[in-house]
């Protein structure tokens, strides 16, 4: 049985997505508020059942555990990795679904304290996303709710392709890079710093007909 780890801030569509995964034979494990929502609708285990360790520090530490990251990161074709996880009794995690605390949205709100802003720096989420993205040969990672239907459709039609897993991994690295840039720029501005490395993040707004010449592609970012 394949296992999906679900931990999302934006819960739109997650119940329906998880019901679809369950129908396709996935075991579900989840954390915090996501677990509280899912358990009302679908069979799901709490992540502490997998790790043998409770969520602590007001939820700051939930998934930062070897049983989570080894279950994601081990290479399925590597005999030594397979031997290690078997000896340690580590279960495979085959699908990771995560979206991040809304750091940028909180930043744009009026009257937000730095304490509140800091609490919206996601730690476990980017760690899980990057682990799954690094191991895209074996693991599927989903950070965009618009990909839920795509995943279910592929699973219903023979399984998730390597090309899809790779494209989803690339999306993760772009997402976490933008997320870290927003955090760095927040502190640079707060402390009036001139950073040695300036990282800017733009969002694709539109695709243009062509670039400076008809044979060139061009895109509009904002």
């Amino acid at each position: 049985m394949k296992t999906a780890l679900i931990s999302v801030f934006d819960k739109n569509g997650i119940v329906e997505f998880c019901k679809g995964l369950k129908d396709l034979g996935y075991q579900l494990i989840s954390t915090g508020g996501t677990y509280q929502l899912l358990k009302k609708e679908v069979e799901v285990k709490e992540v502490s059942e997998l790790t043998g360790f409770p969520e602590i520090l007001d939820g700051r530490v939930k998934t930062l555990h070897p049983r989570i990251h080894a279950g994601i990161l081990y290479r399925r074709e590597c005999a030594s990795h397979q031997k290690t996880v078997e000896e340690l009794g580590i279960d495979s995690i085959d699908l990771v679904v995560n979206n991040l605390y809304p750091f940028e949205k909180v930043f744009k709100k009026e009257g937000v304290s730095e304490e509140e802003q800091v609490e919206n720096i996601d730690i476990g989420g980017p760690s899980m996303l990057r682990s799954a993205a690094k191991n895209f040969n074996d693991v599927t990672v989903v950070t965009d709710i618009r990909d839920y239907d795509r995943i279910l459709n592929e699973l219903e039609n023979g399984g998730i392709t390597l090309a899809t897993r790779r494209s989803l991994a690339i999306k993760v690295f772009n997402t976490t890079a933008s997320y870290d840039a927003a955090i760095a720029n927040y502190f640079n501005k707060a402390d009036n710093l001139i950073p040695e490395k300036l990282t800017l993040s733009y969002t694709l707004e539109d695709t243009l007909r062509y670039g400076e010449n008809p044979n060139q592609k061009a895109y509009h970012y904002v």
Side-chain angles (χ1 to χ4, degrees), residues 33-51:
T34 309
Y35 170 75
Q36 295 299 326
L37 173 66
L38 291 178
K39 72 176 185 177
K40 301 173 185 176
E41 303 286 345
V42 63
E43 183 182 350
V44 59
K45 291 183 178 181
E46 197 165 11
V47 73
S48 58
E49 294 185 50
L50 184 69
T51 63

Side-chain angles (χ1 to χ4, degrees), residues 34-102:
T34 309
Y35 170 75
Q36 295 299 326
L37 173 66
L38 291 178
K39 72 176 185 177
K40 301 173 185 176
E41 303 286 345
V42 63
E43 183 182 350
V44 59
K45 291 183 178 181
E46 197 165 11
V47 73
S48 58
E49 294 185 50
L50 184 69
T51 63
F53 205 87
E55 296 182 12
I56 60 172
L57 306 180
D58 299 320
R60 279 190 167 198
V61 178
K62 297 189 285 285
T63 57
L64 298 171
H65 194 281
R67 287 192 177 276
I68 297 296
H69 287 276
I72 296 169
L73 276 166
Y74 84 91
R75 293 162 53 197
R76 276 59 169 174
E77 82 287 357
C78 178
S80 63
H81 284 202
Q82 186 69 45
K83 180 181 178 183
T84 297
V85 296
E86 287 178 357
E87 288 176 347
L88 295 175
I90 293 173
D91 296 327
S92 174
I93 297 174
D94 310 286
L95 174 65
V96 173
V97 185
N98 179 270
N99 53 61
L100 305 175
Y101 294 170

Side-chain angles (χ1 to χ4, degrees), residues 15 18 33-34 36 38 59 61 69 79 90 95 97 107 115 121 125 149 172-173 177 191 202 205 216 220-222:
V15 171
C18 286
T34 309
Q36 295 299 326
L38 291 178
V61 178
H69 287 276
I90 293 173
L95 174 65
V97 185
F107 174 63
E115 181 181 5
I121 298 175
D149 288 342
V172 161
F173 289 125
D191 287 26
Y202 291 82
E205 180 77 6
Q216 295 172 321
H220 176 212
Y221 286 84
V222 297

